[in-house]
Structure formats: C-alpha cells, structure tokens
Amino acid sequence: MSKIDRKNSVRWVIALMPEAIPIIRALRLIKISRNLSFPIYSDEVGEHWLTVSGLGQNNIAAATKCLFETSSADKTSIWINVGIAGSKTFNLGELVFIDKVTSNISGKSLYPYSIPNLKIENRSELITVNSPEREFGSDGVYDMEGFSFFEVTSKLSSIEIILILKIVSDGPGSDLSKIHKDKISTLIETKIPTLLRLLPTVFSISKNLKDQILLPKNFEDICKVRKFTFSQRVTLKKLLHQWHARKPSKNLLKNISVLKTSSRIIKFMEEELNRS
Amino acid sequence: MIDTIYIEKEINDSPKTIQILRKFKNARKISIDRYGEIFNRKNQNFRVQKIKPNLILARKHKGFVLPTPEGFGIGDQKNFYFSHMYNCIYDCSYCFLQGMYSSANYLIFVNFEDFKREIKGVMERNLGESITFFSGYDCDSVAMESVTNFINDFIPTFRGHDNALIELRTKSAQTRIFEKLEPISNCVIAYSLMPEELAGKLDKKAPSVSLRISAMKKLSAMGWKIGLRFDPLIYSDNWKIKYQSLFKEIYSEIKEESIHSVSLGSLRFPKTYFNKIFSYHRQEEVFSRLDINGGNLVSYDKDLESEMNTFCKNELLKYCNENKVFHCYS
Ligand code: SF4
C-alpha cells in the first residue's frame, strides 16, 4: 500500500471513450504517455486520474488495477465509475446513484455505501450482465461493468468513497451496444455539473479518512529524536493536532530542539497551548 | 431520520419487521441475504458511517443469551447478557462499540421471540439461583424504544420471575414507555452517569446528566428500581470535586431505597479497540492519561485507577450501603 497522500485523490474508471471525453475535458486531463495496457489520463496536480477500460467485467477489473498501480492510489482515494446504462424504470438521461449491484452471472450482490446528502434523487439496484441487455426484466438499471468495478475497488479503498453513477441511455427493445457515440457523450456532458457538485461531499469523507490515518505533522520527527512512552505518544499526537490548528506559523521543531527529554517537550507544548 | 434500511430476505414478512418499517415509510429499502454483508465487511469506516447511520433488520440465529465476562455483575449468583441490537444513537467519544464494530449502522435482530424463549430457558435451568440478565451491552437499551418496542416486549417475560433480574442500561431521558407499564421489582433501569462538564464534552448526542437525573427521579417515584453506573470513571482536573458534587446531586434527588445498585469502573479498553477509537478522536483530552497496563489493556496507571475507584466508592458510601456498590473490572 502506498503512502497516504494529503491532497484530494479521485480515480475515474470509465468503460467507453465517448463516456470519458466529457470528463477528460471538464477536468482538463492529459494522457500519460507510457506504454500501459489501458489509456490513463491525469490532471497537472495528480488529483484526478481516469482510465478507459473498454466494455465488460474483465476489462474494468484489469483497468481498475492498472490505474490503482499507475496512479499510486491509496485507501483514501475516491473511486468513481460513471457510464451509461439501460433501464425500464428510469427515464432517458436520468442520473442514478447505485446502492446495490448484482452480478447476473453469480447472483451475488454487493452494496455501495449510501452517501448521505449527495442530493441525487434516483437510487437503484444495478444489474451487471455479460452481454447487452434488451429485455430489462427487473426494475433498476443494467450495465456490463459495475459489479466488477465495485468488487475490485472495495478491496483497494474504503467503501464510503466508492461511487457508481449511471446515466440512463436506453430502455426495453433498444441495444446498448448500438447507441451512437455522440449521443453517449452528450448524455454524460449534460450531467457533468451534477457530477462535479458531488465531489466536495466525497472529498470531505476522504479527508475524514485521511485524518484518521495520517500521523500529525512532525510526530515522526519528534519521536525519532526523543523516546516517548505509549501514554506520552498519545498525548503528543493530541498536542500536535492542537498545535498545527492553533499555531501553524510557529516553528515547533526549532523550539523544542533544545529540550532534552520527552516530558519537557510535552510540558513546553502544553504551556504554549495554554497561553494561546 | 433513517435514509436506507437493509432487510434480510428471511425476515421480510416478520411482524417486527413490518412494525419497524411502518415508522420509516420514506426510507429506501434494500433486500439483503445476511446482515454480515453490510455490517461485517472489511474496508468500511465506523466514524464516516456514524455521521448518518442506516438501519439493518436481521434475524439472529444463535447465541441469544450469553454468560457475561468475569467481573461483570451486580450481586446475583449468575450473570448473562443479550443483545437485540448493535450500535447506538448516541456518540460517546469513549464508546467501545467504535472499537468493536467496523460499521456504525444500527442492527436490530427482529426475532425477539427467540431471545425471550432462550431467556425463559435460562431461568428454568437455574431455578433457585439468582440471575441477572444485562441488556444494553452492545447498544443503549432504551434510546431506540420508539423503533424497537423492546422494553414493551421484554418486560412481561420477567414479570413474576423474581429470581431473575433484568438490567436496562441507558443514557436516555425518555420515560414515556415506563409510564405506560406497571413497575416490576426485578427490573433495574441503570443510568450511565458522569459529571455534567465531562458528559457535555464526551457524551455527544446523549441527554445531559441533569435530564438523566430528572428521568431517574420520575421513574423512581413511579416505583421503578434505579441503577447508578459510574463506568467509566473519567480522570480530569478536579475530578474529585466533580464526582463528589455529582453523587451529592443524585442522592439529593433520588431516595436511597429506590436505588438498586451502584457500579463503578475506571476508563479502560482492550488495546486493539483503543487504537481504533483513538484514531477517531485524536484531539480528545480524555485519552491523554491512559497507558498500556498488563499487556493488552489500555487504562489509567494502577495507582490512579485505584485512587479513583477508592475515592468514588468512599464518597458513595456516604449515601448508600456497601452491599449495593459493585466494582466492574471486565
Ligand atoms: S450511550 Fe453507551 S452505547 Fe451509546 S454511544 Fe454512549 S457509550 Fe456507546
């Protein structure tokens, strides 16, 4: 597992190029020129990464793993699968948040987290099939990738930051594989503002996870130079959180470099924090 | 309000499921095979889910009534516990459920009849012995009553079985359910308490201590037995004064004869739970004085622990008999 990165980190996994194009444009992503099994795009600061997997469960599983490794994702990275889907329940163009995904082959179901306050009205089960669906026997939406995407990503990241979002492109009788690529891009393009509006909510969940994992700044440096007991390490972590929140401009390492023991460091920090 | 309810297919049509679902008409209902698919999965985060927990309705298959760990008891010969629910609507910083479960979703086992059958079985197998059944080990027994109807369902099981006591552990100030029932002498409504100033910081989303005391006063006046639970005892500046005045306030409001038992135990965690809980609450003052004691336990150092237990016990003995005071160490 790679080191946890403090900056926002989103990984988009998209099945088809026409679905990906509006997202690539909106986020100003650039193709990485490396010899990779799947095309991979990234923005300048390395916050948003995207791959185009091709249709089907095997492809999306392989592309997701490839993106994970190439982009040094960590367990606080947000994973999003956006794509078109068929449905007899929802109207053409509607965005649907997936909270249950069932494999048509195995009958197994997985349950993406129902992110609160996401402000998407439509929630549904997704049925992932291995060949284009024309009948849409069950309520909900149909695709060819969602199950594998969630199965793979839920081993890589915390499930609260894995999203499957589907935009309805066709209904009973039509053939998903025959939809014109411009129509696909338009369907996705229309929902880009909504997709971008969701991000702050998911960023805040990811930040919450990072805060739980990341040690406070300077913690390791300080523990390297002085020996702290278990109880003192607990106290030091707490004090460092308070210090960086309340005295971000004060150079802590310089101030404590003259202090010879762990107790003196803790005493100094407590006194300084009490003073402020 | 609950947004999403996961329901095991097996109990879809059970009367309790139907009764609970009636209260959440607008929630999205998702059918599942077994609750573990949601509740026990890896790579999920308790703290994130705690922001807005969902509800899971499931059937428990075994282990309805279990013996308590050693050191858990309020004077009876045998002690058991049962959990009709996991997790809690309150959000206490020190709550060990955060360390124990990976999900913060509320899990309700709807097959109350199986629990009651097993409770009766334990009573019958232990005739002539005094038994306490603890509820509220994995949840707050009273707080979700409006959803579960648990108390209403379980109290009749204990009526007339004087050798068996049920403890309902709570921080809820809700008294309505008890007002509707005829008090029984073998039920203890046990309130978790700490000085108001500490509760204000730590017992998030729970009623204030003064509201809990008002509830205790009301219920004791109606004839219900009250338990006082000072577990965990929490160290802070001037802790002696804070606990002294808490005890004084309680005993000035509630008659000693209404109090069934008092128990105390200082703050302590298994190490694995502590690491998880501390990662959720790194800025919390309450964890500062803790240390690893005896390998796997994180607690105050032995001297402080014993000072707190002894001081509080001696203070309590100013108001009540020694035979009512119990020390929890499990
Ligand atoms: S009331 Fe009890 S069960 Fe509920 S959060 Fe607080 S400590 Fe946990």
Side-chain angles (χ1 to χ4, degrees), chain B residues 50 87-98 136-141 143 169-172 192 202-204 206 231-232:
Chain B
K50 191 73 189 173
N87 280 328
C88 176
I89 58 168
Y90 306 136
D91 189 13
C92 307
S93 306
Y94 51 84
C95 179
F96 81 104
L97 298 178
Q98 305 166 92
Y137 185 75
D138 298 294
C139 65
D140 183 294
S141 306
R169 177 78 70 101
T170 190
K171 286 190 181 121
S172 171
S192 300
L202 301 173
D203 290 357
K204 295 177 192 106
D231 182 7

PDB file of all heavy atoms in Angstrom, chain B residues 50 87-98 136-141 143 169-172 192 202-204 206 231-232, ligand 1:
ATOM      1  N   LYS B  50     -20.993   6.892  11.090  1.00  0.00           N
ATOM      2  CA  LYS B  50     -21.664   7.439  12.276  1.00  0.00           C
ATOM      3  C   LYS B  50     -22.310   8.798  11.970  1.00  0.00           C
ATOM      4  O   LYS B  50     -23.200   9.245  12.686  1.00  0.00           O
ATOM      5  CB  LYS B  50     -20.641   7.564  13.415  1.00  0.00           C
ATOM      6  CG  LYS B  50     -21.213   7.867  14.771  1.00  0.00           C
ATOM      7  CD  LYS B  50     -21.928   6.689  15.391  1.00  0.00           C
ATOM      8  CE  LYS B  50     -22.670   7.091  16.642  1.00  0.00           C
ATOM      9  NZ  LYS B  50     -23.502   6.022  17.184  1.00  0.00           N
ATOM     10  N   ASN B  87     -25.102  -1.247  18.234  1.00  0.00           N
ATOM     11  CA  ASN B  87     -24.887   0.195  17.977  1.00  0.00           C
ATOM     12  C   ASN B  87     -25.968   1.067  18.599  1.00  0.00           C
ATOM     13  O   ASN B  87     -26.972   0.565  19.098  1.00  0.00           O
ATOM     14  CB  ASN B  87     -24.702   0.509  16.492  1.00  0.00           C
ATOM     15  CG  ASN B  87     -23.282   0.184  16.060  1.00  0.00           C
ATOM     16  OD1 ASN B  87     -22.353   0.309  16.848  1.00  0.00           O
ATOM     17  ND2 ASN B  87     -23.105  -0.234  14.816  1.00  0.00           N
ATOM     18  N   CYS B  88     -25.721   2.355  18.526  1.00  0.00           N
ATOM     19  CA  CYS B  88     -26.427   3.258  19.418  1.00  0.00           C
ATOM     20  C   CYS B  88     -26.636   4.604  18.742  1.00  0.00           C
ATOM     21  O   CYS B  88     -25.824   5.018  17.916  1.00  0.00           O
ATOM     22  CB  CYS B  88     -25.540   3.423  20.654  1.00  0.00           C
ATOM     23  SG  CYS B  88     -26.154   4.573  21.848  1.00  0.00           S
ATOM     24  N   ILE B  89     -27.716   5.292  19.123  1.00  0.00           N
ATOM     25  CA  ILE B  89     -27.966   6.599  18.501  1.00  0.00           C
ATOM     26  C   ILE B  89     -27.081   7.690  19.105  1.00  0.00           C
ATOM     27  O   ILE B  89     -26.936   8.741  18.527  1.00  0.00           O
ATOM     28  CB  ILE B  89     -29.451   7.031  18.597  1.00  0.00           C
ATOM     29  CG1 ILE B  89     -29.920   7.096  20.051  1.00  0.00           C
ATOM     30  CG2 ILE B  89     -30.328   6.102  17.789  1.00  0.00           C
ATOM     31  CD1 ILE B  89     -31.274   7.783  20.197  1.00  0.00           C
ATOM     32  N   TYR B  90     -26.523   7.434  20.282  1.00  0.00           N
ATOM     33  CA  TYR B  90     -25.627   8.439  20.866  1.00  0.00           C
ATOM     34  C   TYR B  90     -24.224   8.245  20.313  1.00  0.00           C
ATOM     35  O   TYR B  90     -23.955   7.282  19.585  1.00  0.00           O
ATOM     36  CB  TYR B  90     -25.645   8.333  22.397  1.00  0.00           C
ATOM     37  CG  TYR B  90     -27.047   8.423  22.967  1.00  0.00           C
ATOM     38  CD1 TYR B  90     -27.484   7.564  23.973  1.00  0.00           C
ATOM     39  CD2 TYR B  90     -27.949   9.368  22.475  1.00  0.00           C
ATOM     40  CE1 TYR B  90     -28.775   7.642  24.476  1.00  0.00           C
ATOM     41  CE2 TYR B  90     -29.235   9.459  22.979  1.00  0.00           C
ATOM     42  CZ  TYR B  90     -29.646   8.587  23.963  1.00  0.00           C
ATOM     43  OH  TYR B  90     -30.921   8.664  24.455  1.00  0.00           O
ATOM     44  N   ASP B  91     -23.319   9.142  20.693  1.00  0.00           N
ATOM     45  CA  ASP B  91     -21.992   9.109  20.079  1.00  0.00           C
ATOM     46  C   ASP B  91     -20.928   9.478  21.125  1.00  0.00           C
ATOM     47  O   ASP B  91     -20.254  10.500  20.992  1.00  0.00           O
ATOM     48  CB  ASP B  91     -21.971  10.090  18.890  1.00  0.00           C
ATOM     49  CG  ASP B  91     -20.722   9.963  18.059  1.00  0.00           C
ATOM     50  OD1 ASP B  91     -19.985   8.977  18.239  1.00  0.00           O
ATOM     51  OD2 ASP B  91     -20.473  10.861  17.232  1.00  0.00           O
ATOM     52  N   CYS B  92     -20.822   8.656  22.138  1.00  0.00           N
ATOM     53  CA  CYS B  92     -19.868   8.954  23.214  1.00  0.00           C
ATOM     54  C   CYS B  92     -18.445   8.703  22.702  1.00  0.00           C
ATOM     55  O   CYS B  92     -18.182   7.664  22.082  1.00  0.00           O
ATOM     56  CB  CYS B  92     -20.153   8.077  24.418  1.00  0.00           C
ATOM     57  SG  CYS B  92     -21.878   8.186  24.947  1.00  0.00           S
ATOM     58  N   SER B  93     -17.556   9.642  23.019  1.00  0.00           N
ATOM     59  CA  SER B  93     -16.187   9.552  22.483  1.00  0.00           C
ATOM     60  C   SER B  93     -15.486   8.268  22.917  1.00  0.00           C
ATOM     61  O   SER B  93     -14.620   7.770  22.215  1.00  0.00           O
ATOM     62  CB  SER B  93     -15.357  10.729  22.978  1.00  0.00           C
ATOM     63  OG  SER B  93     -16.008  11.908  22.683  1.00  0.00           O
ATOM     64  N   TYR B  94     -15.826   7.775  24.098  1.00  0.00           N
ATOM     65  CA  TYR B  94     -15.123   6.616  24.643  1.00  0.00           C
ATOM     66  C   TYR B  94     -15.860   5.309  24.354  1.00  0.00           C
ATOM     67  O   TYR B  94     -15.460   4.252  24.840  1.00  0.00           O
ATOM     68  CB  TYR B  94     -14.962   6.777  26.171  1.00  0.00           C
ATOM     69  CG  TYR B  94     -16.278   7.101  26.835  1.00  0.00           C
ATOM     70  CD1 TYR B  94     -17.168   6.093  27.179  1.00  0.00           C
ATOM     71  CD2 TYR B  94     -16.668   8.418  27.057  1.00  0.00           C
ATOM     72  CE1 TYR B  94     -18.404   6.382  27.726  1.00  0.00           C
ATOM     73  CE2 TYR B  94     -17.905   8.725  27.602  1.00  0.00           C
ATOM     74  CZ  TYR B  94     -18.762   7.698  27.937  1.00  0.00           C
ATOM     75  OH  TYR B  94     -19.995   7.987  28.465  1.00  0.00           O
ATOM     76  N   CYS B  95     -16.928   5.377  23.560  1.00  0.00           N
ATOM     77  CA  CYS B  95     -17.763   4.186  23.368  1.00  0.00           C
ATOM     78  C   CYS B  95     -16.964   3.043  22.745  1.00  0.00           C
ATOM     79  O   CYS B  95     -16.380   3.199  21.671  1.00  0.00           O
ATOM     80  CB  CYS B  95     -18.952   4.515  22.475  1.00  0.00           C
ATOM     81  SG  CYS B  95     -19.986   3.071  22.183  1.00  0.00           S
ATOM     82  N   PHE B  96     -16.975   1.895  23.418  1.00  0.00           N
ATOM     83  CA  PHE B  96     -16.142   0.801  22.921  1.00  0.00           C
ATOM     84  C   PHE B  96     -16.731   0.131  21.675  1.00  0.00           C
ATOM     85  O   PHE B  96     -16.041  -0.599  20.975  1.00  0.00           O
ATOM     86  CB  PHE B  96     -15.855  -0.219  24.029  1.00  0.00           C
ATOM     87  CG  PHE B  96     -16.981  -1.186  24.260  1.00  0.00           C
ATOM     88  CD1 PHE B  96     -16.903  -2.482  23.795  1.00  0.00           C
ATOM     89  CD2 PHE B  96     -18.114  -0.796  24.939  1.00  0.00           C
ATOM     90  CE1 PHE B  96     -17.953  -3.378  23.986  1.00  0.00           C
ATOM     91  CE2 PHE B  96     -19.165  -1.676  25.136  1.00  0.00           C
ATOM     92  CZ  PHE B  96     -19.073  -2.970  24.665  1.00  0.00           C
ATOM     93  N   LEU B  97     -17.983   0.425  21.368  1.00  0.00           N
ATOM     94  CA  LEU B  97     -18.572  -0.158  20.153  1.00  0.00           C
ATOM     95  C   LEU B  97     -17.814   0.296  18.904  1.00  0.00           C
ATOM     96  O   LEU B  97     -17.736  -0.420  17.914  1.00  0.00           O
ATOM     97  CB  LEU B  97     -20.052   0.238  20.027  1.00  0.00           C
ATOM     98  CG  LEU B  97     -20.976  -0.230  21.152  1.00  0.00           C
ATOM     99  CD1 LEU B  97     -22.400   0.267  20.922  1.00  0.00           C
ATOM    100  CD2 LEU B  97     -20.968  -1.749  21.274  1.00  0.00           C
ATOM    101  N   GLN B  98     -17.229   1.506  18.985  1.00  0.00           N
ATOM    102  CA  GLN B  98     -16.439   2.018  17.854  1.00  0.00           C
ATOM    103  C   GLN B  98     -15.216   1.163  17.592  1.00  0.00           C
ATOM    104  O   GLN B  98     -14.708   1.096  16.479  1.00  0.00           O
ATOM    105  CB  GLN B  98     -15.913   3.428  18.139  1.00  0.00           C
ATOM    106  CG  GLN B  98     -16.930   4.445  18.495  1.00  0.00           C
ATOM    107  CD  GLN B  98     -16.257   5.672  19.064  1.00  0.00           C
ATOM    108  OE1 GLN B  98     -15.943   6.603  18.342  1.00  0.00           O
ATOM    109  NE2 GLN B  98     -15.995   5.661  20.360  1.00  0.00           N
ATOM    110  N   GLY B 136     -28.148  -4.058  26.848  1.00  0.00           N
ATOM    111  CA  GLY B 136     -27.512  -2.752  26.710  1.00  0.00           C
ATOM    112  C   GLY B 136     -26.013  -2.853  26.711  1.00  0.00           C
ATOM    113  O   GLY B 136     -25.305  -1.885  26.963  1.00  0.00           O
ATOM    114  N   TYR B 137     -25.496  -4.052  26.437  1.00  0.00           N
ATOM    115  CA  TYR B 137     -24.051  -4.236  26.339  1.00  0.00           C
ATOM    116  C   TYR B 137     -23.563  -3.730  24.972  1.00  0.00           C
ATOM    117  O   TYR B 137     -22.513  -3.137  24.856  1.00  0.00           O
ATOM    118  CB  TYR B 137     -23.751  -5.727  26.507  1.00  0.00           C
ATOM    119  CG  TYR B 137     -22.292  -6.097  26.542  1.00  0.00           C
ATOM    120  CD1 TYR B 137     -21.522  -5.848  27.678  1.00  0.00           C
ATOM    121  CD2 TYR B 137     -21.682  -6.714  25.451  1.00  0.00           C
ATOM    122  CE1 TYR B 137     -20.183  -6.194  27.714  1.00  0.00           C
ATOM    123  CE2 TYR B 137     -20.348  -7.069  25.485  1.00  0.00           C
ATOM    124  CZ  TYR B 137     -19.604  -6.798  26.614  1.00  0.00           C
ATOM    125  OH  TYR B 137     -18.281  -7.143  26.646  1.00  0.00           O
ATOM    126  N   ASP B 138     -24.380  -3.949  23.948  1.00  0.00           N
ATOM    127  CA  ASP B 138     -23.990  -3.563  22.578  1.00  0.00           C
ATOM    128  C   ASP B 138     -24.830  -2.421  22.021  1.00  0.00           C
ATOM    129  O   ASP B 138     -24.842  -2.174  20.828  1.00  0.00           O
ATOM    130  CB  ASP B 138     -24.161  -4.757  21.623  1.00  0.00           C
ATOM    131  CG  ASP B 138     -23.263  -5.911  22.009  1.00  0.00           C
ATOM    132  OD1 ASP B 138     -22.054  -5.750  21.922  1.00  0.00           O
ATOM    133  OD2 ASP B 138     -23.792  -6.954  22.409  1.00  0.00           O
ATOM    134  N   CYS B 139     -25.595  -1.788  22.891  1.00  0.00           N
ATOM    135  CA  CYS B 139     -26.464  -0.689  22.440  1.00  0.00           C
ATOM    136  C   CYS B 139     -26.943   0.045  23.688  1.00  0.00           C
ATOM    137  O   CYS B 139     -26.537  -0.278  24.783  1.00  0.00           O
ATOM    138  CB  CYS B 139     -27.676  -1.256  21.688  1.00  0.00           C
ATOM    139  SG  CYS B 139     -28.769  -2.244  22.710  1.00  0.00           S
ATOM    140  N   ASP B 140     -27.787   1.034  23.517  1.00  0.00           N
ATOM    141  CA  ASP B 140     -28.478   1.635  24.655  1.00  0.00           C
ATOM    142  C   ASP B 140     -29.861   0.995  24.684  1.00  0.00           C
ATOM    143  O   ASP B 140     -30.574   0.995  23.682  1.00  0.00           O
ATOM    144  CB  ASP B 140     -28.580   3.153  24.442  1.00  0.00           C
ATOM    145  CG  ASP B 140     -29.227   3.861  25.613  1.00  0.00           C
ATOM    146  OD1 ASP B 140     -30.438   3.637  25.858  1.00  0.00           O
ATOM    147  OD2 ASP B 140     -28.537   4.642  26.281  1.00  0.00           O
ATOM    148  N   SER B 141     -30.247   0.435  25.849  1.00  0.00           N
ATOM    149  CA  SER B 141     -31.477  -0.374  25.893  1.00  0.00           C
ATOM    150  C   SER B 141     -32.744   0.427  25.644  1.00  0.00           C
ATOM    151  O   SER B 141     -33.746  -0.125  25.216  1.00  0.00           O
ATOM    152  CB  SER B 141     -31.628  -1.035  27.260  1.00  0.00           C
ATOM    153  OG  SER B 141     -30.500  -1.754  27.593  1.00  0.00           O
ATOM    154  N   ALA B 143     -32.875   3.906  24.301  1.00  0.00           N
ATOM    155  CA  ALA B 143     -32.858   5.014  23.348  1.00  0.00           C
ATOM    156  C   ALA B 143     -33.634   4.757  22.057  1.00  0.00           C
ATOM    157  O   ALA B 143     -34.194   5.665  21.485  1.00  0.00           O
ATOM    158  CB  ALA B 143     -31.408   5.376  23.017  1.00  0.00           C
ATOM    159  N   ARG B 169     -29.622  -0.866  30.494  1.00  0.00           N
ATOM    160  CA  ARG B 169     -28.591   0.170  30.646  1.00  0.00           C
ATOM    161  C   ARG B 169     -28.867   1.301  29.654  1.00  0.00           C
ATOM    162  O   ARG B 169     -29.113   1.046  28.479  1.00  0.00           O
ATOM    163  CB  ARG B 169     -27.222  -0.454  30.371  1.00  0.00           C
ATOM    164  CG  ARG B 169     -26.060   0.518  30.427  1.00  0.00           C
ATOM    165  CD  ARG B 169     -25.647   0.862  31.836  1.00  0.00           C
ATOM    166  NE  ARG B 169     -25.019  -0.247  32.525  1.00  0.00           N
ATOM    167  CZ  ARG B 169     -23.704  -0.383  32.688  1.00  0.00           C
ATOM    168  NH1 ARG B 169     -22.874   0.520  32.227  1.00  0.00           N
ATOM    169  NH2 ARG B 169     -23.213  -1.422  33.345  1.00  0.00           N
ATOM    170  N   THR B 170     -28.828   2.534  30.145  1.00  0.00           N
ATOM    171  CA  THR B 170     -29.205   3.645  29.256  1.00  0.00           C
ATOM    172  C   THR B 170     -28.614   4.996  29.640  1.00  0.00           C
ATOM    173  O   THR B 170     -28.167   5.195  30.772  1.00  0.00           O
ATOM    174  CB  THR B 170     -30.755   3.767  29.201  1.00  0.00           C
ATOM    175  OG1 THR B 170     -31.100   4.669  28.173  1.00  0.00           O
ATOM    176  CG2 THR B 170     -31.327   4.237  30.522  1.00  0.00           C
ATOM    177  N   LYS B 171     -28.649   5.890  28.667  1.00  0.00           N
ATOM    178  CA  LYS B 171     -28.406   7.315  28.936  1.00  0.00           C
ATOM    179  C   LYS B 171     -29.630   8.112  28.494  1.00  0.00           C
ATOM    180  O   LYS B 171     -29.599   9.328  28.445  1.00  0.00           O
ATOM    181  CB  LYS B 171     -27.185   7.794  28.146  1.00  0.00           C
ATOM    182  CG  LYS B 171     -25.873   7.304  28.704  1.00  0.00           C
ATOM    183  CD  LYS B 171     -24.687   7.981  28.043  1.00  0.00           C
ATOM    184  CE  LYS B 171     -23.413   7.434  28.635  1.00  0.00           C
ATOM    185  NZ  LYS B 171     -22.539   6.812  27.664  1.00  0.00           N
ATOM    186  N   SER B 172     -30.676   7.416  28.125  1.00  0.00           N
ATOM    187  CA  SER B 172     -31.865   8.102  27.612  1.00  0.00           C
ATOM    188  C   SER B 172     -32.630   8.765  28.747  1.00  0.00           C
ATOM    189  O   SER B 172     -32.699   8.239  29.854  1.00  0.00           O
ATOM    190  CB  SER B 172     -32.765   7.085  26.910  1.00  0.00           C
ATOM    191  OG  SER B 172     -33.999   7.673  26.602  1.00  0.00           O
ATOM    192  N   SER B 192     -26.123   5.411  33.013  1.00  0.00           N
ATOM    193  CA  SER B 192     -24.686   5.711  32.953  1.00  0.00           C
ATOM    194  C   SER B 192     -24.524   7.199  33.213  1.00  0.00           C
ATOM    195  O   SER B 192     -25.168   8.021  32.554  1.00  0.00           O
ATOM    196  CB  SER B 192     -24.129   5.399  31.567  1.00  0.00           C
ATOM    197  OG  SER B 192     -24.314   4.044  31.289  1.00  0.00           O
ATOM    198  N   LEU B 202     -18.119  14.670  26.261  1.00  0.00           N
ATOM    199  CA  LEU B 202     -17.878  13.305  25.785  1.00  0.00           C
ATOM    200  C   LEU B 202     -19.134  12.546  25.333  1.00  0.00           C
ATOM    201  O   LEU B 202     -19.056  11.743  24.414  1.00  0.00           O
ATOM    202  CB  LEU B 202     -17.194  12.484  26.886  1.00  0.00           C
ATOM    203  CG  LEU B 202     -15.859  13.040  27.374  1.00  0.00           C
ATOM    204  CD1 LEU B 202     -15.375  12.247  28.578  1.00  0.00           C
ATOM    205  CD2 LEU B 202     -14.825  12.992  26.270  1.00  0.00           C
ATOM    206  N   ASP B 203     -20.248  12.778  26.000  1.00  0.00           N
ATOM    207  CA  ASP B 203     -21.466  12.006  25.692  1.00  0.00           C
ATOM    208  C   ASP B 203     -22.243  12.701  24.571  1.00  0.00           C
ATOM    209  O   ASP B 203     -23.367  13.177  24.763  1.00  0.00           O
ATOM    210  CB  ASP B 203     -22.349  11.875  26.939  1.00  0.00           C
ATOM    211  CG  ASP B 203     -21.728  10.962  27.978  1.00  0.00           C
ATOM    212  OD1 ASP B 203     -20.663  10.390  27.707  1.00  0.00           O
ATOM    213  OD2 ASP B 203     -22.326  10.828  29.067  1.00  0.00           O
ATOM    214  N   LYS B 204     -21.638  12.724  23.395  1.00  0.00           N
ATOM    215  CA  LYS B 204     -22.250  13.501  22.313  1.00  0.00           C
ATOM    216  C   LYS B 204     -23.597  12.898  21.909  1.00  0.00           C
ATOM    217  O   LYS B 204     -23.734  11.685  21.838  1.00  0.00           O
ATOM    218  CB  LYS B 204     -21.309  13.552  21.117  1.00  0.00           C
ATOM    219  CG  LYS B 204     -20.038  14.305  21.471  1.00  0.00           C
ATOM    220  CD  LYS B 204     -19.038  14.323  20.342  1.00  0.00           C
ATOM    221  CE  LYS B 204     -17.715  14.821  20.873  1.00  0.00           C
ATOM    222  NZ  LYS B 204     -16.724  13.759  21.023  1.00  0.00           N
ATOM    223  N   ALA B 206     -26.126  12.568  23.538  1.00  0.00           N
ATOM    224  CA  ALA B 206     -26.890  11.956  24.641  1.00  0.00           C
ATOM    225  C   ALA B 206     -27.516  13.065  25.492  1.00  0.00           C
ATOM    226  O   ALA B 206     -26.993  14.180  25.541  1.00  0.00           O
ATOM    227  CB  ALA B 206     -25.974  11.083  25.489  1.00  0.00           C
ATOM    228  N   ASP B 231     -19.399   4.107  35.170  1.00  0.00           N
ATOM    229  CA  ASP B 231     -18.461   3.273  34.426  1.00  0.00           C
ATOM    230  C   ASP B 231     -18.552   3.703  32.974  1.00  0.00           C
ATOM    231  O   ASP B 231     -19.553   3.403  32.320  1.00  0.00           O
ATOM    232  CB  ASP B 231     -18.855   1.801  34.599  1.00  0.00           C
ATOM    233  CG  ASP B 231     -17.886   0.865  33.892  1.00  0.00           C
ATOM    234  OD1 ASP B 231     -16.855   1.352  33.399  1.00  0.00           O
ATOM    235  OD2 ASP B 231     -18.177  -0.347  33.832  1.00  0.00           O
ATOM    236  N   PRO B 232     -17.593   4.438  32.445  1.00  0.00           N
ATOM    237  CA  PRO B 232     -16.281   4.663  33.022  1.00  0.00           C
ATOM    238  C   PRO B 232     -16.214   5.893  33.948  1.00  0.00           C
ATOM    239  O   PRO B 232     -16.894   6.887  33.729  1.00  0.00           O
ATOM    240  CB  PRO B 232     -15.436   4.960  31.770  1.00  0.00           C
ATOM    241  CG  PRO B 232     -16.386   5.635  30.826  1.00  0.00           C
ATOM    242  CD  PRO B 232     -17.717   4.996  31.084  1.00  0.00           C
TER     243      PRO B 232
HETATM  244  S1  SF4 C   1     -24.682   5.507  25.254  1.00  0.00           S
HETATM  245 FE1  SF4 C   1     -23.375   3.723  25.542  1.00  0.00          FE
HETATM  246  S2  SF4 C   1     -23.633   2.516  23.687  1.00  0.00           S
HETATM  247 FE2  SF4 C   1     -24.400   4.575  23.247  1.00  0.00          FE
HETATM  248  S3  SF4 C   1     -22.654   5.668  22.342  1.00  0.00           S
HETATM  249 FE3  SF4 C   1     -22.655   6.084  24.534  1.00  0.00          FE
HETATM  250  S4  SF4 C   1     -21.284   4.541  25.426  1.00  0.00           S
HETATM  251 FE4  SF4 C   1     -21.868   3.830  23.361  1.00  0.00          FE
END
